[in-house]
Amino acid sequence: MAYSSSELLSKYQLFVDRERVRAADTPFLADAHLPILQQFVRVGSEGVHSVTGFIDRTGELFVTRSATKVLQRSQPMGVGLCFESLPPAPALSDAVRRLCRELEYFGIFEVEFVLFDGRWAVIDFNPRLFNQIGMDIRRGMPLPFLACLDAVGDTTSLREAVGKAQVQDNERIVFCDSFALRAFLLAQTITRRMSHKDRGHWRAWLEKHAADAVDYAADGSDPIPRIIHSLSQIHMGIKALPRFMRLSALDSAWTPQPVIQESS
């Protein structure tokens, strides 16, 4: 991320010089060392709107869910820690369907939007499994199952499953990586990057949604996934510590969005 034209030019040249060496191994991609530049858009109070779903190889069978990312690991952008379900957004779903057809893409997807100049703009298209997929499954959209049916060519069962998913949606469901959230709150408090009020807000959020929260690593009958996930997160946190300290020095260069985001 660059905050000025001079910084952009400097970082651009550093990137090109670094990637030119790697690109030498890909002679068929002459421009592989050149980055794609994108205007940075600050996330407003609307947050990041996520449209997730599945489209089959014919483009006919299509189903989506809408959610909002209410908390992420880092500012001003980062991996989502908490998501809340949203009612259907037909206009955005139709736009995603047209995009998939134009790209001739089929399968599972996550498309992220932010509000920019009064319109929803796409900032990311993830053609893969994604972090909060467990929330969609609990909401009646079994994405891995749909992809499996499409892969084996069971069109009859796929049509039935998609039809069922289109009418079943539990909008009370939320997603939360509880271990990562608690570690995030602790780190933010220790480094004085979060107020006690905000920390209290997220503790209350956890209690409020306890009955409807999905945590993919939590299983009362099998503690192993939680243990492995916790160790993985600790390892990643230690590796990211130097980068975190460097980024801390840039905090004064931008105005952060509030930690607490109001849901739509």
Side-chain angles (χ1 to χ4, degrees):
M1 192 179 339
Y3 297 95
S4 66
S5 57
S6 59
E7 186 180 5
L8 173 61
L9 291 173
S10 174
K11 288 190 173 183
Y12 181 89
Q13 191 59 53
L14 287 173
F15 182 93
V16 170
D17 292 342
R18 183 190 70 204
E19 295 301 318
R20 183 179 286 116
V21 177
R22 300 178 183 178
D25 297 328
T26 56
F28 298 107
L29 296 175
D31 297 332
H33 63 291
L34 299 179
I36 296 175
L37 301 181
Q38 182 178 8
Q39 179 181 357
F40 178 70
V41 177
R42 301 190 187 283
V43 179
S45 59
E46 305 83 5
V48 176
H49 191 116
S50 175
V51 176
T52 55
F54 169 83
I55 185 170
D56 79 328
R57 62 189 67 231
T58 69
E60 177 189 357
L61 300 179
F62 180 77
V63 59
T64 62
R65 294 290 186 271
S66 293
T68 182
K69 184 191 298 184
V70 294
L71 184 66
Q72 53 197 28
R73 290 176 186 266
S74 58
Q75 301 293 341
M77 53 190 173
V79 177
L81 290 174
C82 301
F83 287 79
E84 293 181 1
S85 300
L86 290 177
L92 293 184
S93 291
D94 289 343
V96 170
R97 188 173 195 168
R98 293 195 303 272
L99 178 60
C100 288
R101 285 177 166 174
E102 182 175 345
L103 296 174
E104 297 183 351
Y105 174 78
F106 61 90
I108 295 171
F109 59 79
E110 177 195 30
V111 183
E112 293 183 325
F113 296 82
V114 294
L115 199 61
F116 177 58
D117 282 349
R119 301 176 61 185
W120 288 103
V122 175
I123 61 170
D124 203 0
F125 185 110
N126 295 317
R128 53 170 173 76
L129 300 177
F130 45 88
N131 198 31
Q132 72 281 11
I133 193 171
M135 181 173 72
D136 288 340
I137 296 173
R138 279 277 297 276
R139 293 176 68 183
M141 187 172 65
L143 295 178
F145 181 58
L146 300 181
C148 180
L149 290 177
D150 194 32
V152 301
D154 189 348
T155 305
T156 301
S157 297
L158 178 60
R159 186 179 301 277
E160 180 182 347
V162 168
K164 187 181 297 183
Q166 289 172 336
V167 298
Q168 294 181 350
D169 186 5
N170 185 347
E171 295 176 9
R172 298 192 310 274
I173 301 300
V174 303
F175 169 84
C176 174
D177 184 341
S178 59
F179 177 84
L181 173 60
R182 289 185 171 89
F184 171 80
L185 296 180
L186 178 61
Q188 292 285 308
T189 302
I190 290 176
T191 58
R192 298 183 179 180
R193 294 161 63 91
M194 177 181 287
S195 68
H196 288 290
K197 178 181 178 181
D198 285 350
R199 187 178 182 186
H201 166 83
W202 290 110
R203 286 181 167 177
W205 187 92
L206 276 172
E207 294 179 4
K208 174 183 176 182
H209 296 289
D212 301 308
V214 172
D215 184 340
Y216 56 82
D219 187 340
S221 63
D222 184 2
I224 299 301
R226 182 187 289 272
I227 293 173
I228 293 176
H229 177 63
S230 300
L231 292 175
S232 173
Q233 293 297 305
I234 292 172
H235 175 68
M236 290 173 58
I238 294 174
K239 287 181 61 178
L241 187 58
R243 179 173 178 271
F244 172 79
M245 299 304 294
R246 290 196 302 270
L247 291 177
S248 296
L250 298 175
D251 280 351
S252 59
W254 62 282
T255 303
Q257 66 184 65
V259 172
I260 299 177
Q261 299 176 9
E262 297 297 332
S263 303
S264 301

